[in-house]
Amino acid sequence: MQTALLIDDEQRMLDLVELFLRPQGIKCIKESSGKNAIEILKKEKVHIVLLDVMMPGMDGWEVCNAIREFSNVPIIMLTARTDKKDTVKGLNSGADDYITKPFDESELVARVHAILRRFPEEGKELNIYYNDFTLDIERYSIQYLNLKVQLTLKEFFILKALISRPNKTYTREELLDLAWEYETETDIRTVDSHIRNLRDKLKKAGFPTDEFLKTAWGIGYKWN
């Protein structure tokens, strides 16, 4: 059974999300404190986190940043804020996706399932090799020669799509479809935020990013 950690200061929202996910065979751990949720993640096996943005004490962005210091668990942020700047802020904090409140059951379940499907099955090969690059499906990381970088779920699958077809220019719409795997009203510019984060991570780790990850102006991106 897969486990979701639900983090929200409103008990009503915690109960509602659990009501949607429990019939899907997903165990839910509910926590109203961001600080306590971080400690749970350090001890428990969790497959996905659903994280509210507006919380007292540590807000969702702070919690997301703290989680990314030790874990690459997929994070979906739940927010009542519709400002695009807030969405970008969440993605820059390391979130994989976001859902704007109010949301319906089918949307939430579709997004959670799309992410959980990405977890490898027992006994399956956990590495994918492309020339000098190794993609680790279990840990969502990329290795190039002796350099290794930890990625978020969305960063991983965007990069996987690009590397698997070198020199193909992907539009933002194509990358959105490949990384999200379901119909979504997510702004296609969200892809730009993930690409920007990806470039920053690779560059800091010493990857020759400018040599590999190219922008096709007005179209999208490609792996050179």
Side-chain angles (χ1 to χ4, degrees):
M1 179 179 287
Q2 292 169 310
T3 300
L5 175 59
L6 316 180
I7 311 171
D8 198 305
D9 62 311
E10 292 187 36
Q11 187 63 43
R12 178 186 63 83
M13 184 59 64
L14 290 172
D15 293 340
L16 179 64
V17 175
E18 182 182 35
L19 183 66
F20 290 164
L21 297 184
R22 191 168 54 190
Q24 306 298 318
I26 299 171
K27 175 185 175 183
C28 294
I29 300 174
K30 298 184 290 185
E31 180 53 62
S32 59
S33 161
K35 185 176 180 180
N36 291 344
I38 291 168
E39 294 306 312
I40 290 173
L41 266 176
K42 291 179 179 179
K43 300 174 184 177
E44 302 283 342
K45 175 65 174 178
V46 172
H47 299 91
I48 189 169
V49 172
L50 282 79
L51 172 61
D52 182 42
V53 172
M54 302 305 295
M55 296 191 299
M58 291 182 74
D59 64 29
W61 294 310
E62 293 173 311
V63 174
C64 189
N65 276 318
I67 291 172
R68 284 292 173 251
E69 290 179 2
F70 67 91
S71 173
N72 67 331
V73 62
I75 298 173
I76 297 178
M77 300 196 82
L78 307 178
T79 175
R81 302 171 68 126
T82 58
D83 192 316
K84 291 247 179 16
K85 291 181 181 178
D86 292 323
T87 299
V88 171
K89 185 175 180 179
L91 296 173
N92 288 341
S93 298
D96 294 284
D97 203 357
Y98 64 92
I99 300 177
T100 303
K101 299 177 182 177
F103 50 82
D104 62 28
E105 178 180 358
S106 59
E107 179 186 17
L108 179 70
V109 170
R111 295 199 185 200
V112 169
H113 275 314
I115 286 178
L116 293 180
R117 279 198 301 271
R118 299 300 180 90
F119 276 82
E121 296 176 15
E122 288 289 333
K124 278 199 171 183
E125 174 60 58
L126 300 181
N127 290 334
I128 300 173
Y129 303 95
Y130 297 117
N131 296 324
D132 293 326
F133 294 88
T134 301
L135 295 175
D136 187 323
I137 296 176
E138 185 178 41
R139 296 177 178 83
Y140 299 128
S141 65
I142 181 172
Q143 184 167 340
Y144 172 67
L145 303 178
N146 64 331
L147 305 173
K148 190 172 184 179
V149 174
Q150 190 69 58
L151 307 172
T152 67
L153 183 79
K154 290 294 187 281
E155 292 166 357
F156 181 88
F157 283 99
I158 287 173
L159 190 58
K160 179 176 179 287
L162 294 171
I163 291 179
S164 63
R165 297 190 65 183
N167 296 316
K168 170 181 166 54
T169 299
Y170 283 90
T171 65
R172 292 177 177 85
E173 290 86 351
E174 288 175 321
L175 290 174
L176 197 68
D177 289 342
L178 289 166
W180 269 253
E181 281 196 332
Y182 52 83
E183 288 190 15
T184 175
E185 295 181 1
T186 300
D187 191 323
I188 60 171
R189 293 292 173 176
T190 298
V191 172
D192 296 338
S193 295
H194 286 300
I195 290 286
R196 189 180 307 113
N197 293 342
L198 189 52
R199 278 196 170 118
D200 288 344
K201 285 184 179 181
L202 296 177
K203 187 174 182 180
K204 287 177 182 178
F207 281 63
T209 310
D210 294 338
E211 178 183 342
F212 294 122
L213 186 51
K214 299 287 188 179
T215 299
W217 297 107
I219 304 174
Y221 303 94
K222 69 176 181 177
W223 191 262
N224 189 38

